[in-house]
Amino acid sequence: MKAVAVLPGKPNSVHLRDIPAPKLTDQPHPHVCSIPEGRAVLVKVLQIGVDATDREINEALYGNAPPGGDHLVIGHESFGQVIEIGDKVTNVKPGDYVSCTVRRPGGSLFDKIGRNDITSEEVYYERGINLCHGYLTEFFVDDVEYVVKVPQNLKHLGVLSEPASVCAKAIEQAFLAQQRLQVWHPKSAFVLGAGQIGLLATMMLKLRGIEVHTVATRPGPHRKSEIVEAYGAKYVSTKQTSIADLARDVGKPDLIFEATGNAEVSFRAMEVLAHNGALIWTSITGGKQDVTIDGAKINLEWVLGNKLLVSSVNGNRRHFEQGLQALSHGELTYPGVTSRILTHPVAGLDRYKEMMRELEEKEALKVFVNVAE
């Protein structure tokens, strides 16, 4: 079967290759974990979302092949349909629509209790990102533990399952951490970045009744600003208003959700957070970027202001379920808005070069590959 892969460490090595079609009895990543007997699920891939992570892996900024091989099948945002199941699988059946989580467990205590998303080990295992093959292929098999059912009436948004899980987890982590305050009811939030993560975070924070300002570079009106406003939030262009000016105009926010992929913005956000506030970092910034900030001033304000920084990476199956619940709630509250994020479909694995080009397109919100119907 066909798959899109890279040669980790070699820039711009993305290519199409033939790999063996999986069987229900296969072990896709035996160097990490084994599928217990009877718990395997074989999935036909329908759509795979791609994002800056895939672009940066192709640029050789990070990512490693599984042991014993020279290539890594990329793609970590999965959506497909169950074809076959093991005899001990009860929560999905053939014909069901599903997504699949990204991280696989290492050997730490957190991994052993099902929290591989917060492993304490330096080495991490992520399908399509590091040391485990991904989903940008025609079929895959995995343990039902990592397979998450997508409701039939959400199949048009199924390819957003993984990005939604990222947002759901990050917001949950901030609220859990803020239990340290005993009483925390954030009334205002800045979302920095209006890509897919920023827009989904905007929607989820609005669903919590929070006043949201979503901040990006380009002045509106355009698709991003229109989606933000359709969610009931306010769009702000940094070419017209800096985040420092915005904080002066509307007040410092109780919560900042950073999703820009820009290291300087990540640190500048520390300058405008309200007392007792939480700043969430979700960006992964590859390469190197020097940032100059007034460290003494931030140290003083953060200590005296009881401020909190929360970093969050991709989630486990519970976060996928929370993300799907938020997508469903969002569809009921803002009908048809979220589907506008799906901007750039690519017809088939053979057009992988087009896929990579689309990731450079400034108008692209969500690039995704239609692998099969």
Side-chain angles (χ1 to χ4, degrees):
M1 66 177 181
K2 294 181 290 187
V4 178
V6 299
L7 303 176
K10 182 179 180 180
N12 303 312
S13 63
V14 65
H15 62 281
L16 190 70
R17 68 190 296 138
D18 287 322
I19 63 172
K23 303 184 295 294
L24 199 63
T25 54
D26 285 354
Q27 295 290 343
H29 21 256
H31 57 292
V32 183
C33 57
S34 298
I35 302 175
E37 184 177 353
R39 289 179 53 83
V41 178
L42 178 64
V43 177
K44 176 183 178 181
V45 175
L46 300 179
Q47 294 177 324
I48 297 294
V50 290
D51 63 6
T53 297
D54 302 283
R55 185 186 70 237
E56 291 170 355
I57 291 172
N58 186 45
E59 293 170 354
L61 297 180
Y62 48 84
N64 294 283
D70 64 348
H71 72 279
L72 173 70
V73 177
I74 58 173
H76 59 282
E77 300 178 6
S78 65
F79 175 63
Q81 192 166 29
V82 175
I83 300 299
E84 189 179 359
I85 60 174
D87 58 13
K88 295 181 181 177
V89 174
T90 58
N91 53 328
V92 295
K93 63 183 184 302
D96 283 347
Y97 295 102
V98 295
S99 184
C100 202
T101 66
V102 181
R103 280 217 170 173
R104 295 296 170 268
S108 77
L109 174 63
F110 299 103
D111 295 294
K112 294 180 185 299
I113 64 169
R115 290 304 309 274
N116 40 290
D117 59 305
I118 55 170
T119 183
S120 59
E121 296 186 333
E122 292 291 332
V123 177
Y124 58 93
Y125 303 93
E126 293 180 334
R127 292 202 67 161
I129 299 175
N130 198 52
L131 298 170
C132 293
H133 288 309
Y135 303 114
L136 204 47
T137 185
E138 296 178 82
F139 297 89
F140 68 83
V141 67
D142 215 328
D143 189 342
V144 69
E145 169 71 18
Y146 311 116
V147 176
V148 184
K149 186 175 179 179
V150 176
Q152 169 83 20
N153 63 358
L154 269 186
K155 66 179 183 178
H156 62 298
L157 298 178
V159 76
L160 292 175
S161 299
E162 194 276 340
S165 76
V166 170
C167 298
K169 177 190 173 180
I171 293 168
E172 178 205 57
Q173 294 297 294
F175 274 81
L176 286 173
Q178 289 292 70
Q179 289 180 8
R180 69 196 176 105
L181 300 175
Q182 296 181 291
V183 177
W184 191 63
H185 300 295
K187 293 181 171 56
S188 64
F190 289 178
V191 174
L192 307 183
Q196 60 168 346
I197 297 296
L199 292 175
L200 291 172
T202 296
M203 180 261 288
M204 292 183 193
L205 292 170
K206 285 299 300 180
L207 290 173
R208 288 176 175 262
I210 297 172
E211 180 183 357
V212 179
H213 289 81
T214 301
V215 182
T217 305
R218 192 159 59 95
H222 45 65
R223 182 184 289 259
K224 292 180 180 181
S225 66
E226 291 168 356
I227 293 173
V228 167
E229 290 161 5
Y231 283 142
K234 297 177 182 178
Y235 180 86
V236 178
S237 164
T238 54
K239 287 189 175 180
Q240 298 172 328
T241 306
S242 70
I243 58 172
D245 288 340
L246 178 63
R248 280 193 291 269
D249 292 343
V250 304
K252 292 184 175 181
D254 304 309
L255 177 66
I256 300 177
F257 189 112
E258 183 280 320
T260 64
N262 184 295
E264 180 164 1
V265 174
S266 300
F267 282 92
R268 291 292 175 201
M270 302 178 81
E271 299 173 336
V272 299
L273 185 67
H275 279 205
N276 293 335
L279 166 60
I280 305 170
W281 279 358
T282 65
S283 285
I284 296 177
T285 49
K288 181 180 179 180
Q289 182 182 3
D290 293 331
V291 179
T292 301
I293 57 174
D294 187 342
K297 184 173 185 290
I298 287 176
N299 174 248
L300 177 68
E301 292 180 351
W302 274 61
V303 171
L304 297 181
N306 293 307
K307 302 179 186 184
L308 177 74
L309 172 63
V310 180
S311 299
S312 183
V313 74
N314 51 40
N316 59 30
R317 66 170 299 117
R318 181 169 59 85
H319 303 120
F320 271 69
E321 291 167 348
Q322 290 175 345
L324 287 164
Q325 289 168 5
L327 288 174
S328 181
H329 189 180
E331 277 294 89
L332 291 172
T333 308
Y334 314 106
V337 177
T338 303
S339 60
R340 296 195 64 197
I341 295 173
L342 301 172
T343 53
H344 284 64
V346 176
L349 297 170
D350 294 336
R351 301 178 72 170
Y352 65 93
K353 292 181 180 179
E354 176 188 342
M355 175 192 82
M356 298 307 297
R357 286 196 302 270
E358 296 286 29
L359 287 173
E360 303 290 343
E361 171 57 53
K362 292 184 178 180
E363 298 298 321
L365 274 174
K366 178 75 261 169
V367 180
F368 59 101
V369 181
N370 287 315
V371 179
E373 295 184 359

